[in-house]
Each structure stands twice: as C-alpha cells, then as structure tokens.
Amino acid sequence: MFLKKLELTNFRNYTNLSLDFDQRPTILVGNNAVGKSNLLEAIYLLSISKSLRVDIEDELIKEGEEFARVEGFLADPETELLVLINRPTDEVTFRKKIMVNGISKRTVDFIGNLPAVIFYPSDINMVTGTPSLRRWHLDLSLAQVDTQYKKSLTLYEQILTNRNRVLKRIREGQSQVDELKFWTDELVEKGKEISDKRLEFFQFINQLEKPLGEFKFEYKQSLITVERLNETNGREVAAAATLIGPHRDDFEVLLDGRNMAHFGSRGEQRTATLAFKLSQLEYMAKILGKRPILLLDDVFSELDASHRAHVVEIVNKQQTIIATVELENIPKQFLDSARILRIEDGKIKED
C-alpha cells in the first residue's frame, strides 16, 4: 500500500495542487512557512480525518475561500479517500464530509484506510504534556490498526458519559446508587478491552531494539474492576465523575530510570518522542502485516550522526515523506536514492 497521488483544493496555502508520488522516499525542502508541513498535515488528515495542528477545522481552509478539499489516491488496494471541509453558512448543510471510494463514512470507519505515523517537532508535548495528550498519541496508532479497539474506545466514552450523568443525579438526590450497576458492568467490560490492548502495545515496544537510546515506556494503568469502582462510589458521587479506568491511564518515558518529563533535556525529550513514534510504526506494521506511511517533519536537525543513520535505515522500509528546511543534515547516500521536491510559495518543482 502506498499513496500515489495527493490533490488539494483551497487547503492552507494551496489553491490547487496535484502531486504524484512513487515508492522512493520523498523529501520536501524549502524555507519555513512555504507549505512543507501543510502537505504532511494533508496526508495525515486522510489517515485519521482530523488535523493535529488546529482545534477549529475552518483554519485549514485557504483565506477567502469557502471550502477545502483533500483527496488521496492509494495503490494496492486501489482506494480513493476524500476529506471535504466547509465554512458554516446558511446554505451549507454540513461542516465536514469524509468519503472512501465515493461513499460517506463515519470517522470510525474512515480511520485505517491509510495507516500512517507522523512526527512533528511539537510532538515533544507527548513527553512534557498532560496524561490526556499521552493517551491521545497512544490511541492515534492503536485505533488505525485495530477495529475492535476503535469500537471499544468509542463505546467506553459513551458509557462513561452516561455513568457520570447517573453519578450527578445521585449527588442531586434524583437517582439511587443501584442505578449505577448496569453502567459499571458495561464500563468494566469495555475498559478491560482497552487496557489489554494498551498493555500489549507497551510490552511489544519495550522489547524492541533501542538504537536511539535505552528509553523505556512505562504503562501506568488505572486498573478498572467492579470492586474498585464500588470502593470509590462515595468519592465519585461527590465529584460526579468516574475516578478510575482507561480514561485516567498514563505512561512515563524513562531513560536510565529518569522520567524524561522532569529530568530530560530538550534533546533527550525530542529523541524519546521520535523513538516512541518509530516504535508505533513497528507495532502497526506487526498488526497490519504491511508497513504504514511514515511522515517526518524536521527530523534530522537535532540528531547526531549515528541516530541519523538509524532513521535513514527505517525510512527505506516503507513509503516515507520528509519535510526539511535544508538538506545538509541528511546523509548523502540517502539523498541519492530519494526524490527531492523544492517548495516555494506553495509551488513545487523537482530537483
């Protein structure tokens, strides 16, 4: 499987763009703010149906335009993916539409058609940020390769919302504690499915070779059982919230026993983030039996020579698209085998 063509209309700084790919690694080179990262963003949008760089999707639409269209054409199997985003108007009946081969899909059914792993320099927040951010980075890969995980995650969130609603009614004297039982049993069932998959993931990535450093990713599971939930009922009613379960899971990134969130240099945190992303890539490849697309933004600039050589080794295993400001930090033997596209003001030419 690989992306053979990307078409953009009114996306970010691109009015119209049609870009063909082959199976060689592709390097997008150009100054800052010319549109390199926007191309990676568009491809990943076709993977998970959402942008990682904005909270409001209207920001993806080129200034002065009413819609943005991102379309990808895959080979092996032949597949057409489409994400269409509209600005809200009285005439527009939908804000976003996602389609596979011309058929509208729900997000849960769209994700997984173009498995991909992406690295942004800003992803360092995976190490330094909140537990919810770490869970989000974790779920981005698991949901792409495991249909049951996607369904369990969606159902878990729905059950959690309903259970919290009952807790609030109990606090307000409008419901009885025994009304929790149904939602508690359902939450435990789906929660265990999620926790088991997360545990499997961490067990797998921690046994991989570690050429970027002896980083360990330690899963901090918020174990969910009926007994534990019953023990916390009093505090849960007071908070009107479920206090344990996968929605409270976390993981720590360790190097020589040091938690990188508190005791890592910025360089170590960045390298740890890249190590996690490349581990995600290997896990997804194991589950799928084929390798996802790898998208790398400014990955070489802060790596030493040995780490660059390892990244190059990984890059050559699947379709990879790299954005960079300069070529000097990229090993020459890799440049000789790659396709280099130079970007200036939203226009692309091949070196």
Side-chain angles (χ1 to χ4, degrees), residues 106-307:
R106 301 175 302 164
T107 299
V108 69
D109 298 317
F110 185 86
I111 295 173
N113 283 281
L114 179 62
V117 172
I118 193 165
F119 170 85
Y120 287 122
S122 60
D123 286 340
I124 195 173
N125 65 15
M126 185 204 78
V127 176
T128 61
T130 63
S132 63
L133 269 173
R134 281 185 285 278
R135 289 192 299 272
W136 179 64
H137 279 282
L138 170 62
D139 289 337
L140 282 177
S141 58
L142 297 184
Q144 290 187 64
V145 299
D146 192 321
T147 301
Q148 187 55 49
Y149 185 85
K150 281 187 291 187
K151 292 178 179 177
S152 295
L153 203 59
T154 300
L155 286 171
Y156 182 88
E157 293 295 335
Q158 294 170 354
I159 296 164
L160 181 66
T161 298
N162 288 327
R163 189 175 189 275
N164 288 345
R165 189 176 294 126
V166 174
L167 286 167
K168 183 178 180 182
R169 289 204 302 265
I170 294 171
R171 186 179 67 180
E172 295 170 349
Q174 298 175 3
S175 294
Q176 300 299 315
V177 172
D178 59 8
E179 293 180 43
L180 278 175
K181 184 179 186 311
F182 172 80
W183 299 113
T184 295
D185 291 344
E186 291 288 302
L187 198 72
V188 169
E189 179 185 345
K190 294 304 171 188
K192 185 177 186 308
E193 292 174 7
I194 294 167
S195 298
D196 287 349
K197 292 292 185 180
R198 288 177 177 175
L199 180 60
E200 176 187 295
F201 169 80
F202 283 106
Q203 288 175 337
F204 176 83
I205 68 170
N206 279 319
Q207 56 82 39
L208 292 172
E209 293 184 12
K210 305 181 187 301
L212 292 181
E214 291 297 319
F215 296 106
K216 180 181 179 183
F217 304 96
E218 189 169 297
Y219 181 30
K220 298 293 186 179
Q221 180 182 357
S222 179
L223 182 65
I224 184 170
T225 65
V226 171
E227 292 75 21
R228 290 196 73 209
L229 285 169
N230 288 339
E231 288 171 5
T232 58
N233 272 355
R235 289 186 291 123
E236 288 186 325
V237 169
T242 303
L243 301 178
I244 59 172
H247 63 291
R248 296 295 183 96
D249 278 355
D250 196 5
F251 65 91
E252 293 179 354
V253 184
L254 306 175
L255 180 64
D256 299 327
R258 294 179 292 132
N259 187 330
M260 291 290 95
H262 308 299
F263 303 106
S265 68
R266 180 173 175 82
E268 287 174 327
Q269 292 168 346
R270 179 183 166 106
T271 304
T273 303
L274 178 60
F276 183 80
K277 294 285 185 170
L278 296 181
S279 296
Q280 281 183 313
L281 181 75
E282 296 304 323
Y283 179 80
M284 292 169 69
K286 168 185 173 276
I287 299 299
L288 292 171
K290 57 186 178 183
R291 298 187 69 81
I293 291 176
L294 180 59
L295 308 169
L296 300 171
D297 193 1
D298 189 29
V299 71
F300 289 107
S301 61
E302 295 183 31
L303 296 178
D304 61 30
S306 64
H307 289 167

